[in-house]
Amino acid sequence: MDARVILIFDGYCGICTRMVLWVRAQDRQGRISALPSQLPGLLDRYGLTPEQVAKEVWAFDAAGNAWSGAEAIFRTLEELGAPWSSIAAWSRLPPFKQLAGPCYAWFARNRHLFARWGAPPECADPARGCLPP
């Protein structure tokens, strides 16, 4: 099955890589293609800037719809299906919806504090072909 959601993440971030490894493990249907933002040409293809992808994760569907930050995470959870889609649905209800964006932004700004729970960054592997940081 072709991926229905493209998830663009910071390939030099161990926390981001850990999240992507989890998504890939849950995605038995191959619905999500998680790509590091440092792949040559990827930002141009999706009209993103380095500043945008340094700030938050992005998700795109085949129709060209885009989500960023917490909404990108929720869209990814929806695509994974049950039980994760239920969590995404609950996350869009008050008061979770009002808290999700600010909580995601805080975590993204402070992800270095959680580095010990990360994985080796995907772009640390030279075979991945990432642009330098």
Side-chain angles (χ1 to χ4, degrees), residues 4-8 46 48 52-53 56-76 78-79 92 97 104:
R4 295 192 290 206
V5 170
I6 304 298
L7 184 66
I8 300 175
Y46 288 96
L48 295 170
Q52 287 175 303
V53 295
E56 55 196 350
V57 67
W58 286 79
F60 293 86
D61 67 11
N65 297 308
W67 299 267
S68 64
E71 286 297 321
I73 300 297
F74 298 155
R75 180 64 187 94
T76 301
E78 284 175 347
E79 197 60 46
R92 289 201 165 105
K97 184 175 176 71
Y104 177 91

Side-chain angles (χ1 to χ4, degrees), residues 94-115:
F96 305 111
K97 184 175 176 71
Q98 289 80 7
L99 294 171
C103 288
Y104 177 91
W106 178 88
F107 186 86
R109 278 191 315 274
N110 294 287
R111 60 189 173 182
H112 63 280
L113 300 173
F114 304 95

Side-chain angles (χ1 to χ4, degrees), residues 86-97:
S86 298
I87 293 170
W90 278 96
S91 298
R92 289 201 165 105
L93 297 173
F96 305 111
K97 184 175 176 71

